[in-house]
Amino acid sequence: MSDHTQDAATIDLLFRLADDELMMGHRNAEWTGVGPVLEEDIAFSSMAQDELGHAFAYYTVLHEHLGQDNPDTLAFRREAADFRNARLTALPRSDWAAAVMRQFLYDAAEQVRLEHYSSHPFAPLAQLARKFRGEEKYHLMHGKSWVMRLGSATEDSRARLQAALEALWPHALGLFEPGQGGEDAGASEAALCAGWLAQVCPLLVSSSLQVPAERTAKGQWQSRVAAVYGRYAEPAPERVALLDAMQKVYRLDPNADW
Amino acid sequence: MTLMNPLVRPVITDDDGRSEDEKLVTFEARVAAGEKIEPTDWMPDRYRQQLIRMVQNHGNSEIVGALPEREWIPHAPTFKRKLALTAKVQDEVGHAQLLYRVVETLGKPREVIIEELLNGTAKYSNVFNYPPETWADVGIIAWLIDAAAIIRQMLLREGSYGPYSRALKRICYEESFHLKHGHDICVTLATGTQFQRDMLQDALNRWWNPIVGFFGPPDRASVHTDELMRWRVKLKTNDAIRQQFFDQYVPRIWELGLSIPDPELRKDDESGRWLYTEPDWEEFKRVIKGHGPCNAERIAVRRLAHEEGEWVRRALAAAANDQAVPVQ
Amino acid sequence: MDSDTQWVTWEVLHQEKRGDPHVHVGSVHAPNAEMALILAKEQFARRQKCVNLWVVPTVAIVSMPYDDADIFEAGTDKSYREAWGYKVRERVRAARELDRLDPKEDDAGE
């Protein structure tokens, strides 16, 4: 593969990573001030800030190593059609069961990804993957704890979590949509997805939830439901709505300092 | 020996045969010596009630104060602003958590405190009943309202109740970031385009009166006020704190090229005091009683959050009885 | 080890003066809370100034594993949430030198 196509694949990958983190950070930050209990309000807000921080770091790599615009321009000025986030990350905030489930499914995927990327041939990415490890570990710890507790607490909480799981599952699979910039040199999306299923399915099962997946004869987990892809499609309405809100002030005067 | 648990709620069982008057003498001597009162100490009932009212009001102001600003988190125009605003609102929730714990050491549980906020029987700072209309409002609120709050809280930190003082140490530290973040937004707008400068001036015009009113009406001379001062629950009069705010912040507002919308505002050279137009205290009272532009909306948002979180708190309270499942 | 004669342990927290936080200073073996307080007084406050002690059953303490210490490390720059992360006075000074501000009323100074 030539350097040029390698760059295109890396740029595409970094945009996917950055845009996912940005959207997750944005949606999760919407919980700040209205969480279900004060202590959790604080914890969830910190994770939103971590995600925004990770997005900023990925955009910085795009800017400094791959010739893209600066992070604020990439986040606040880019058109919806140019974003590469999976649909899962931009879905509007709904109830706490969905918030917790999305966070768990997403951060489990992050952990599997970062584990692979910590030895990625593109050094700046490998470096970030190692730097984010501690924060992602906490996110996953938090997500697992909530899923397990709510899954086994009351019939009501289990039912809400189950509904959230079913609604989010196809979108979560969409996190592993193959990149259009060419296959990444670090890890294939299919391999990451398999790693993710192996991580989340047993925990969901032990949390008294019905997983839309089954074990194959080889002992691997396989989803019974198809993924919803949306990274490269016509921008989904939730992405457009999110960007309208996020870019509102910046676009009052994109040439001003804010 | 009387065993006490100061963290759950104060257990006041020190029936040591002393009369109330004798206990009051010890209490007042301790406060006069600059010592702190701790939850397990005997304290006059009026002291306890006043502190509950005040700290509860403070905690409520943090949790309600988070609401107008959080509306702007989705719209913050750069990474740094988005992160800082989220962190500021998060801090305010954190302050409510700390302050409600202080109230609990005085005997009122958090669920009751929240219930009183939602049913309208508890108060919070009036200033949060006004709407934040533009991004510049976010700067003005974080800079000037937090500045006003810091001046008041630095004083209260020297007050006599140990748990409140301890909480305020941390709160003041965090608020100093809020103020810088707000000031930074204002400096950016003040040195920006004409559109941005106008936006900032407009925000100041709308917020100035609520900010001057933030410190409350002039204290009436009363035995009650004297007592609160003696017990170090109140450290300075509302007017004295307002003057201190003018002293520190009017010059900093002016230096950004902003006009303060009060033609009477100036420092009187002879008395060294700031002259200003008194806010409409009748309006202030109307807003306190629940008739401000945003009272209903603020409480409605808070109530919705509380109700939507109800099943979560209930489920985990049930799960708390079953800690057998280990995490990971 | 004879579990019939071994007393349980209590963690001891010490307050040097009113208004200070209680700080963990060690632990004692004691048969109950009252004895724990009485014994902790001489083991942990016989020299150090002290106005109050707390004791907590050691079994009530739950700890994070040190293997997870990396969760406390910031993955990115968090200076946005610190007062020292802002250089506002410097910005105002610089703007004034460049005449980008139009101060009202008297000169504000620094």
Side-chain angles (χ1 to χ4, degrees), chain A residues 92-110:
Chain A
R93 182 169 80 88
S94 63
D95 75 341
W96 183 248
V100 159
M101 185 54 79
R102 168 160 61 178
Q103 192 251 323
F104 166 69
L105 297 173
Y106 177 79
D107 281 312
E110 280 295 290

Side-chain angles (χ1 to χ4, degrees), chain B residues 44-319:
Chain B
D45 194 51
R46 277 204 306 282
Y47 177 85
R48 182 185 300 277
Q49 295 315 323
Q50 179 68 20
L51 267 169
I52 289 177
R53 201 185 61 80
M54 209 166 91
V55 184
Q56 183 174 355
N57 182 315
H58 186 178
N60 289 343
S61 299
E62 298 278 359
I63 195 83
V64 176
L67 300 180
E69 289 182 284
R70 73 171 282 284
E71 289 174 19
W72 283 90
I73 291 175
H75 312 305
T78 70
F79 267 105
K80 185 164 183 179
R81 299 294 183 227
K82 195 174 180 73
L83 285 162
L85 182 58
T86 308
K88 177 185 192 293
V89 176
Q90 175 191 40
D91 282 348
E92 276 150 13
V93 176
H95 297 171
Q97 193 271 350
L98 297 172
L99 293 163
Y100 286 168
R101 279 296 296 143
V102 174
V103 180
E104 289 191 312
T105 68
L106 291 159
K108 190 183 273 194
R110 191 159 92 181
E111 287 294 309
V112 175
I113 298 170
I114 292 171
E115 179 50 35
E116 288 178 355
L117 174 64
L118 299 182
N119 69 22
T121 53
K123 303 283 181 264
Y124 56 88
S125 188
N126 243 7
V127 78
F128 302 117
N129 285 319
Y130 295 86
E133 289 175 10
T134 72
W135 173 250
D137 292 33
V138 174
I140 293 287
I141 291 171
W143 181 27
L144 296 177
I145 296 180
D146 282 67
I150 287 181
I151 291 177
R152 186 151 77 181
Q153 287 161 17
M154 298 261 272
L155 285 166
L156 287 171
R157 198 175 59 180
E158 307 307 315
S160 60
Y161 190 54
Y164 192 29
S165 277
R166 285 192 285 276
L168 284 170
K169 249 185 217 168
R170 155 118 181 244
I171 291 173
C172 287
Y173 173 80
E174 292 176 347
E175 302 250 345
S176 65
F177 138 59
H178 302 176
L179 185 150
K180 294 274 187 186
H181 144 79
H183 197 184
D184 201 61
I185 293 176
C186 291
V187 171
T188 300
L189 297 178
T191 55
T193 63
Q194 187 63 44
F195 172 76
Q196 289 176 311
R197 286 202 295 276
D198 292 346
M199 190 186 203
L200 183 63
Q201 181 64 58
D202 171 65
L204 180 65
N205 293 350
R206 282 178 291 106
W207 284 95
W208 181 253
N209 273 325
I211 290 169
V212 175
F214 176 83
F215 302 96
D219 300 89
R220 281 164 303 171
S222 74
V223 181
H224 185 60
T225 306
D226 289 349
E227 189 179 73
L228 295 179
M229 293 278 215
R230 191 168 71 244
W231 288 347
R232 298 183 69 77
V233 171
K234 208 172 165 71
L235 280 292
K236 271 190 182 180
T237 63
N238 293 350
D239 273 333
I241 308 176
R242 190 165 16 239
Q243 287 289 327
Q244 196 179 331
F245 173 79
F246 289 147
D247 257 336
Q248 284 178 249
Y249 288 94
V250 169
R252 296 202 165 179
I253 297 169
W254 280 338
E255 84 179 339
L256 295 189
L258 293 164
S259 303
I260 295 174
D262 177 358
E264 303 300 321
L265 185 76
R266 65 186 170 85
K267 192 163 186 170
D268 180 47
D269 288 338
E270 257 175 53
S271 64
R273 289 177 60 79
W274 289 85
L275 305 176
Y276 62 100
T277 308
E278 284 287 337
D280 179 351
W281 296 116
E282 286 310 309
E283 192 214 323
F284 180 85
K285 282 180 202 152
R286 274 196 304 279
V287 177
I288 280 232
K289 288 204 177 103
H291 307 295
C294 299
N295 299 60
E297 181 193 335
R298 298 279 177 259
I299 295 301
V301 171
R302 205 49 247 168
R303 177 174 296 122
L304 185 66
H306 189 72
E307 287 170 0
E308 286 182 343
E310 163 93 26
W311 70 269
V312 182
R313 294 189 300 277
R314 190 173 299 284
L316 293 206

